Amino acid sequence: MFAEPAAQKLRVGSWPSVATMDAEQSMDRPISEFMSSPVFTVGASQTVSEARKRMKDHGTRHLVVLRGGHLRGVVSDRDLAMVEGVLAAGAATTPIEEVMSEDVFEVAKDALTSQVAQTMAGKRIGAAVVVEGGEATGIFTTTDALRALAQALA
């Protein structure tokens, strides 16, 4: 067993450095500075196979799901992989609305990046849809959050 030293110990990171303060300030910039845009969408009635092709064509891992031009959900490559693994042949006929996440985390374009990232981490959310005037104008994913963090720490 190790004995605690008698001297007072400082926790690592207990004193903010200038770099830490700069990182915090850059993370308090609006989400619109870090979001991915344009938003790639898929219709709620389109199939899992169609969504997979769309993701591949655009090099994205999330699609915003629309019905009648209105936001209805989000589907991720992970959602599709689970369905494809279980249904295999059914992926060609299974509509996206059966596999999408309906509980969408919507944020305004001026929401602070730090607050959005904290909410996403705390609730284990993979993407926030940035909405302006009732329309999806961007998406902020965990990849975007990592890019923002890397920029803040550079």
Side-chain angles (χ1 to χ4, degrees), residues 14-81:
S14 62
W15 295 99
S17 67
V18 172
T20 303
M21 287 186 278
D22 287 344
E24 288 172 1
Q25 289 169 351
S26 67
M27 293 301 284
D28 279 340
R29 294 187 355 226
I31 202 75
S32 59
E33 292 185 25
F34 298 106
M35 70 183 189
S36 295
S37 184
V39 177
F40 297 107
T41 63
V42 64
S45 62
Q46 288 183 279
T47 66
V48 168
S49 296
E50 291 169 322
R52 174 61 74 199
K53 181 179 182 329
R54 190 148 177 83
M55 282 184 185
K56 184 178 179 184
D57 289 349
H58 294 290
T60 188
R61 295 184 309 125
H62 295 85
L63 295 172
V64 170
V65 182
L66 303 176
R67 177 174 290 289
H70 299 289
L71 177 63
R72 291 292 176 241
V74 174
V75 66
S76 71
D77 63 340
R78 191 178 200 182
D79 298 330
L80 299 184

